[in-house]
Amino acid sequence: MIGTKSFEAIVNGEQVKLNIPQNLRLIDVLRNYLGLTGTKEGCGEGECGACTVLVDGEPYNSCLLFALQVQNKNILTIEGLASYNNLHPLQESFLEHGAVQCGYCTPGMLLVAKALLDKNPNPTREEIKVAISGNLCRCTGYSKIVDAISAVAEKGVKR
Amino acid sequence: MKKRGIGIGCTFYGTGYGNGFPDISTAFVEIHDDGSVLILTGAVDCGQGSTTVLTQIAAEELGIPTDMVTITCADTGCTPDSGTTAATRQTYTTGNAIRLACQKAKKTLLEWAAKELGTNTIEGLVIAEGKIMVKGHPQKSITFKEACAKARFAGNRLIGEASFTTHATQVNMEDGQGAPYWPYAFGTQIAEVEVDTETGKVEVLRIVAAQDVGKAINPQSVEGQIEGGVAQGLGWSLLEEVKLSSGNITNPAFSSYLIPTVLDMPEIETYIIESHEPTGPYGAKGVGEPAMLSAAPAILNAIHDAIGVRINDLPATPEKILEALQEKK
Ligand code: FES
Ligand code: FES
């Protein structure tokens, strides 16, 4: 029988303290314990990027992490991207460019894009493509996603 | 050696269930006292954008802004059946049902307004700019909202229900005659590829995709459908294959069943072709599936143009290309 352990982290700016089974994946804590179902599970084996969250600003597949590996870290999920009543510029841009179809890849795409722009506010189209290349999208053919991210980069909106 | 080639693929696709299978959509509409409109229909939006397009169709038919229209889709608790979201049929079939249902509700409203504004028939009226106006005498008008409230208060019910059946007949098995589908969507794509003759790898450098959609009710989502179709067509041509062994899928993962990533995709140039479809809502017909079809013939023809071999078995993997090059020698 797998024992429980105390798990502490900052999730979307809030301190979280839980007792969880030691073998629980980060995605399960987010979805099943914290109700943050914006993080999607596409494959559960690190191939699709749908489960991407930011850990201390870096994109990670939350299906490949044990929650206890991110003990005391700062985690951002899609629910934490917008501020109280304003969408994040990337979210606005995805809407404006029609970069969302079924939406399953969208949370991961947005968070990877945010991580990219935080580090490199003026990426080239090629750099944007490399950044999102670990995130599969079945619907859009990627064009409008790349357009949406470059539009934010060009505007140089404060993020 | 890397060799380049260009190929063209032209396809046509029969939308709807086809072959005489009942292909029916139903919609309910109610106009409320404040001029807002509720549409109920069974059409499922999987992300392709049918909810948006159907809202636009209702707003256009009623002459009101889209933000006055609320649509509830695919709730078995309250929506009438509109068939599956398949066969590229929702814009056309459900779009037509909504348009007809809106016409019925509108007729009741306009018949009341004709009396109020003193015209002989409803033909003399137009709904625009939030008002019902007498054609040619825009000063003779009543706001849409007021008209809805008063018409209802006078005992009218501003509701409409309609079903639309797509026309298709079963093919005669003896002579192959019949009209199995309606309407047909036409598309052409042109691909430029680079084939590495050492490794057999094909890189698609550019795709130009033109798709006939009758009328693009929402051009941005039509583009999205074409771009997504190209990506699926490219995957189908070069990467995707369900492998079976004794009935089991042996590659049930994204690591063994590959779909295109953004790095596999070329820039896509889209052209929307509008060839008014007289039976469609505002001339529209579907775009979903047809947009993916032309990529495969275009890419395979481009491979032939580049290295002179025909691949007749999808996907055109590096192994198959090398084998074909070997045979050619
Ligand atoms: S669900 Fe984590 S990468 Fe697919
Ligand atoms: S929008 Fe459907 S997977 Fe990207």
Side-chain angles (χ1 to χ4, degrees):
Chain A
M1 162 104 198
I2 290 165
T4 60
K5 225 176 170 168
S6 152
F7 167 71
E8 284 185 52
I10 297 176
V11 179
N12 300 331
E14 277 178 48
Q15 181 69 45
V16 165
K17 194 169 179 208
L18 296 166
N19 258 333
I20 56 166
Q22 293 185 40
N23 65 346
L24 210 59
R25 302 175 304 167
L26 177 57
I27 189 171
D28 301 322
V29 171
L30 295 172
R31 290 180 56 91
N32 303 341
Y33 283 64
L34 300 174
L36 299 172
T37 51
T39 303
K40 304 299 177 200
E41 179 160 8
C43 64
E45 50 187 39
E47 296 290 345
C48 73
C51 63
T52 304
V53 299
L54 300 190
V55 178
D56 289 344
E58 288 290 331
Y60 278 89
N61 290 331
S62 63
C63 71
L64 289 188
L65 286 172
F66 287 120
L68 294 174
Q69 286 176 281
V70 299
Q71 189 77 274
N72 296 319
K73 305 250 185 205
N74 202 327
I75 295 155
L76 184 75
T77 73
I78 191 63
E79 288 87 350
L81 190 59
S83 58
Y84 183 64
N85 47 15
N86 285 101
L87 289 179
H88 186 278
L90 278 164
Q91 291 171 310
E92 294 277 7
S93 188
F94 268 55
L95 285 177
E96 200 177 303
H97 287 84
V100 181
Q101 286 190 32
C102 80
Y104 210 80
C105 69
T106 313
M109 289 285 184
L110 283 165
L111 290 170
V112 167
K114 176 183 160 47
L116 170 71
L117 295 184
D118 283 348
K119 252 183 269 159
N120 175 2
N122 291 305
T124 62
R125 236 180 132 76
E126 227 24 64
E127 286 171 325
I128 292 172
K129 289 184 184 177
V130 170
I132 63 166
S133 64
N135 293 67
L136 296 177
C137 174
R138 191 45 154 170
C139 305
T140 63
Y142 304 100
S143 303
K144 300 210 178 308
I145 295 177
V146 178
D147 291 348
I149 300 170
S150 12
V152 176
E154 274 158 28
K155 263 195 230 151
V157 183
K158 199 182 161 297
R159 286 170 292 273
Chain B
M1 206 196 310
K2 289 195 173 173
K3 292 194 162 181
R4 288 194 177 188
I6 291 177
I8 302 183
C10 301
T11 52
F12 73 109
Y13 181 87
T15 64
Y17 295 147
N19 210 24
F21 190 84
D23 189 345
I24 308 165
S25 281
T26 302
F28 297 154
V29 53
E30 176 165 23
I31 310 176
H32 301 131
D33 281 356
D34 63 352
S36 68
V37 172
L38 176 67
I39 309 280
L40 303 179
T41 182
V44 181
D45 194 337
C46 317
Q48 81 281 20
S50 59
T51 301
T52 308
V53 163
L54 298 176
T55 303
Q56 288 178 261
I57 289 173
E60 183 73 23
E61 191 54 48
L62 295 170
I64 60 175
T66 45
D67 60 8
M68 293 298 282
V69 181
T70 301
I71 183 161
T72 297
C73 287
D75 178 342
T76 48
C78 64
T79 60
D81 186 12
S82 282
T84 54
T85 292
T88 308
R89 59 180 289 286
Q90 289 297 10
T91 296
Y92 180 79
T93 311
T94 305
N96 269 328
I98 287 182
R99 195 168 169 224
L100 294 171
C102 287
Q103 282 170 358
K104 286 189 187 168
K106 183 167 79 174
K107 188 162 176 264
T108 309
L109 176 64
L110 290 183
E111 276 168 357
W112 175 86
K115 277 185 223 137
E116 179 79 5
L117 297 172
T119 59
N120 291 334
T121 69
I122 63 172
E123 302 306 323
L125 298 174
V126 58
I127 308 175
E129 299 154 23
K131 286 180 247 173
I132 301 176
M133 301 182 272
V134 176
K135 282 182 192 161
H137 294 277
Q139 63 283 13
K140 255 186 141 183
S141 72
I142 179 168
T143 68
F144 186 74
K145 203 170 155 173
E146 195 184 342
C148 295
K150 284 190 171 165
R152 266 181 48 83
F153 195 67
N156 299 291
R157 287 297 168 262
L158 310 177
I159 58 170
E161 170 276 327
S163 291
F164 179 83
T165 304
T166 295
H167 178 82
T169 55
Q170 212 171 349
V171 169
N172 183 329
M173 293 313 274
E174 260 166 39
D175 59 10
Q177 296 301 298
Y181 292 96
W182 196 263
Y184 288 89
F186 302 86
T188 293
Q189 291 179 21
I190 305 174
E192 185 175 4
V193 304
E194 187 171 82
V195 186
D196 187 327
T197 54
E198 304 281 304
T199 63
K201 189 172 184 307
V202 177
E203 195 184 339
V204 181
L205 304 173
R206 189 175 166 215
I207 296 250
V208 180
Q211 188 64 40
D212 154 38
V213 299
K215 166 82 189 164
I217 290 179
N218 190 312
Q220 189 183 54
S221 50
V222 168
E223 261 176 40
Q225 289 296 290
I226 297 175
E227 289 160 358
V230 167
Q232 295 194 5
L234 186 146
W236 176 35
S237 311
L238 299 177
L239 302 168
E240 299 180 32
E241 184 173 20
V242 176
K243 295 192 178 128
L244 293 171
S245 163
S246 320
N248 293 316
I249 295 175
T250 61
N251 58 342
F254 289 129
S255 50
S256 46
Y257 180 98
L258 302 180
I259 72 170
T261 72
V262 68
L263 295 177
D264 297 306
M265 291 304 301
E267 293 292 332
I268 306 164
E269 224 174 287
T270 55
Y271 290 92
I272 297 172
I273 309 296
E274 295 186 316
S275 66
H276 189 87
E277 164 54 44
T279 64
Y282 301 102
K285 55 188 169 188
V287 60
E289 294 154 300
M292 76 172 282
L293 300 179
S294 309
I299 289 170
L300 294 185
N301 284 335
I303 293 173
H304 178 258
D305 188 40
I307 55 171
V309 301
R310 283 271 168 218
I311 306 290
N312 294 316
D313 174 35
L314 294 174
T317 55
E319 293 80 5
K320 286 183 202 164
I321 299 231
L322 288 180
E323 205 177 300
L325 279 171
Q326 205 62 37
E327 267 170 37
K328 193 185 147 205
K329 270 194 202 151

